[in-house]
Amino acid sequence: MFAILDIESTGGKYNEEGIMEIAIHRFNGHEVVDKFIGLINPERTIQPFVVNLTGINNKMLHSAPKFHEVAKRIIEITEDAILVAHNAQFDYRILRTEFRRLGYDFKRKTLCTVDLSKQLIPEAESHSLGKLVRSLGIPVTDRHRANGDAIATLKLFKLLLAKDSDKTIIKSVIREESTGELSSKQLDIVENLPSEVGVYYMHNKDGEIIYIGKTKNIKKRVNQHFTNVGELARKLQKETKKVSFEKTGSELVALLKEYHEIKGNSPKYNSKKNKNGYSYGLYLNQDKKGKLGFVAERANGQSNRLSSFGSLKASKAFLQKLNRELSLDQTESTVEREQRIAQVFQKYSIDHRSLALVDRGRELGEKSVILVEKGHFLGIGFVELNYQLNNIAILEKLITAMNGDENSTFIIESYLRKRNRLSVLELNQ
């Protein structure tokens, strides 16, 4: 559990500042479950430069509650949570100072989004909150007010969690939380999982990821792990002490995340995948009469490949479907035939194309994006605004980079064969 925090202080000498506005969003890693926002009477004068920066003046705070009147609420909303703030050292110090004045030793673990963004978005020109979120196309309102900055920090933190492919953040949090054996029953773990599309991570008592999976229903799939009787299920039942997850909205995003995060984390109970998930392909071919069509062959690395398959049977089955789509009538010209074959490539192949494949997001108003450049898979991301989607420079910053390979292409093209719900945007490079 996280508590996204932003504080506006009065300014003044070190450790003599007071809190004049605070915003806390209790965030479970996926959604805000509680929030506390409000002005506070700091019982001291606000420095003039702070008034100019925030628009908050002494008159506005005259009837606001004093800190001791809201202290209990702050303790409750941050209990068993890690404080997350942009420049967390400052906000945490100010908060501890206010509690110290009341004779209470307020202690919480902290995460700083400045430090995290330097690790996960090192290419950013600036890691200040305002400049960083603007460069990412994240909308900000009420800048330099507690709730406006807290919401911006929350959106940035969500992006950082998504970019953290090695799961360094979550593993460190779980390692801090786990002391001894887990007391909760496994069915209690399942109860707190969503029935949504995503990727789940099974952790041992040290926080290490021992298994990664993707599913259309996280709750149902993890429950199966805990109730099955196979050898893998027994190992997971014995060693799993916590399950974390990431909702993706899109099944294709889940497929790609699962593949790349298994490759990057090497969980001990995920089976080792072959170098290629496919061994056959459909290739453009010209018969003896000069008629263009497709033929199923063992994968050969040629550039005229339409799509890849895991078996000869699957490739031949799809070939039959294509032959029905492309059946010639007597009046069709060679040019018309070539045009229809080009349309087939547009429908089923990403070869040599630069695309944004757009699907459902994790929540209402959000879209997921799979970015492809010249046939090469670059990564995945989430956008809320068409501006972010239509601006390639911003889109590339929002993307969680992944090292695309032939298996990534296989996953994407296999999905395109089975489902046509994706919106495909051609990108001009």
Side-chain angles (χ1 to χ4, degrees):
M1 189 68 72
F2 305 97
I4 314 300
L5 169 71
D6 189 82
I7 285 171
E8 300 300 330
S9 73
T10 58
K13 293 181 180 180
Y14 184 83
N15 273 357
E16 292 185 8
E17 311 100 320
I19 296 176
M20 63 179 189
E21 189 176 34
I22 190 168
I24 304 172
H25 292 252
R26 190 170 174 88
F27 177 60
N28 64 10
H30 310 282
E31 60 184 352
V32 174
V33 296
D34 194 6
K35 63 179 71 174
F36 173 66
I37 303 159
L39 294 169
I40 295 174
N41 185 341
E43 302 182 87
R44 65 200 67 224
T45 302
I46 306 171
Q47 297 297 305
F49 80 92
V50 175
V51 175
N52 293 332
L53 183 67
T54 65
I56 300 173
N57 57 48
N58 292 293
K59 185 176 180 181
M60 291 169 60
L61 303 178
H62 181 70
S63 60
K66 297 173 183 177
F67 185 80
H68 72 85
E69 296 176 272
V70 299
K72 183 180 178 181
R73 175 69 172 126
I74 294 171
I75 292 171
E76 291 172 346
I77 198 171
T78 61
E79 188 173 9
D80 298 322
I82 295 174
L83 295 183
V84 179
H86 208 71
N87 192 8
Q89 184 179 11
F90 171 81
D91 293 81
Y92 186 46
R93 177 181 66 80
I94 298 293
L95 195 54
R96 289 202 70 191
T97 297
E98 288 281 18
F99 274 108
R100 196 176 295 115
R101 291 172 184 148
L102 300 179
Y104 181 81
D105 189 17
F106 179 83
K107 289 184 179 180
R108 297 289 187 266
K109 298 185 185 303
T110 63
L111 278 174
C112 180
T113 50
V114 174
D115 296 337
L116 292 175
S117 62
K118 286 179 179 178
Q119 295 172 27
L120 296 168
I121 316 176
E123 70 280 4
E125 292 183 8
S126 171
H127 293 93
S128 69
L129 182 61
K131 291 181 180 178
L132 183 59
V133 295
R134 276 197 299 274
S135 73
L136 297 169
I138 295 173
V140 183
T141 57
D142 292 333
R143 184 76 178 93
H144 298 300
R145 291 295 298 268
N147 195 43
D149 286 355
I151 290 173
T153 303
L154 173 62
K155 291 182 177 181
L156 174 61
F157 187 55
K158 285 183 179 180
L159 174 62
L160 293 170
L161 286 174
K163 279 184 170 289
D164 185 25
S165 297
D166 293 335
K167 296 293 171 285
T168 303
I169 299 171
I170 294 298
K171 285 192 287 189
S172 66
V173 168
I174 291 172
R175 194 157 45 241
E176 299 266 350
E177 290 177 348
S178 300
T179 53
E181 294 297 309
L182 193 72
S183 59
S184 301
K185 293 181 180 180
Q186 287 160 338
L187 287 180
D188 293 331
I189 295 175
V190 173
E191 188 62 31
N192 292 317
L193 298 174
S195 300
E196 297 185 41
V197 181
V199 179
Y200 58 93
Y201 311 87
M202 306 185 87
H203 303 260
N204 63 15
K205 61 186 176 69
D206 296 318
E208 294 300 316
I209 299 172
I210 58 175
Y211 187 82
I212 298 176
K214 68 86 192 167
T215 178
K216 293 181 181 179
N217 187 321
I218 296 171
K219 182 190 289 284
K220 181 178 179 180
R221 185 70 189 100
V222 173
N223 185 63
Q224 289 171 344
H225 285 304
F226 287 154
T227 55
N228 285 349
V229 294
E231 183 180 354
L232 173 62
R234 286 196 298 271
K235 290 177 179 177
L236 293 176
Q237 290 160 17
K238 181 180 179 180
E239 295 188 39
T240 300
K241 301 306 176 187
K242 183 152 185 172
V243 178
S244 62
F245 63 91
E246 284 192 32
K247 294 188 285 186
T248 62
S250 163
E251 186 183 1
L252 178 55
V253 170
L255 284 163
L256 291 165
K257 278 184 69 68
E258 178 199 38
Y259 168 62
H260 283 274
E261 292 183 350
I262 288 174
K263 190 168 68 169
N265 290 278
S266 300
K268 69 176 184 177
Y269 291 130
N270 283 100
S271 59
K272 304 296 182 184
K273 294 186 179 293
N274 295 329
K275 184 177 181 181
N276 292 326
Y278 63 92
S279 52
Y280 288 86
L282 287 190
Y283 294 88
L284 188 62
N285 181 61
Q286 193 172 45
D287 64 17
K288 293 179 181 178
K289 297 181 180 179
K291 176 183 174 182
L292 285 174
F294 293 96
V295 61
E297 293 181 352
R298 184 169 289 277
N300 56 33
Q302 295 179 16
S303 61
N304 61 347
R305 175 188 53 79
L306 171 67
S307 200
S308 304
F309 298 84
S311 68
L312 180 61
K313 181 180 179 181
S315 59
K316 285 185 174 180
F318 191 71
L319 178 59
Q320 289 180 347
K321 175 185 175 181
L322 276 186
N323 285 338
R324 288 193 295 270
E325 287 185 24
L326 294 170
S327 57
L328 279 171
D329 60 46
Q330 298 301 317
T331 61
E332 186 174 49
S333 68
T334 301
V335 172
E336 289 172 329
R337 176 74 171 185
E338 290 175 348
Q339 288 174 342
R340 287 211 287 147
I341 285 180
Q343 289 172 355
V344 168
F345 271 94
Q346 290 284 317
K347 187 175 181 180
Y348 297 117
S349 176
I350 65 171
D351 194 34
H352 291 94
R353 299 168 70 192
S354 294
L355 309 167
L357 303 173
V358 184
D359 202 356
R360 288 179 299 193
R362 299 162 296 186
E363 55 194 36
L364 190 64
E366 182 182 71
K367 296 175 182 177
S368 61
V369 182
I370 296 98
L371 190 60
V372 176
E373 183 178 293
K374 297 179 181 177
H376 186 73
F377 167 64
L378 295 186
I380 60 176
F382 298 92
V383 300
E384 294 180 357
L385 305 173
N386 286 332
Y387 169 70
Q388 294 170 309
L389 186 60
N390 295 324
N391 188 315
I392 187 65
I394 287 180
L395 188 57
E396 287 176 343
K397 293 177 183 177
L398 293 172
I399 290 296
T400 300
M402 296 180 177
N403 294 321
D405 56 17
E406 292 177 333
N407 264 329
S408 305
T409 301
F410 172 60
I411 290 168
I412 293 171
E413 292 185 342
S414 297
Y415 192 87
L416 289 175
R417 288 198 301 269
K418 298 171 185 175
R419 301 162 185 84
N420 296 317
R421 187 184 67 241
L422 293 177
S423 297
V424 179
L425 301 181
E426 300 279 352
L427 300 176
N428 295 321
Q429 296 293 326

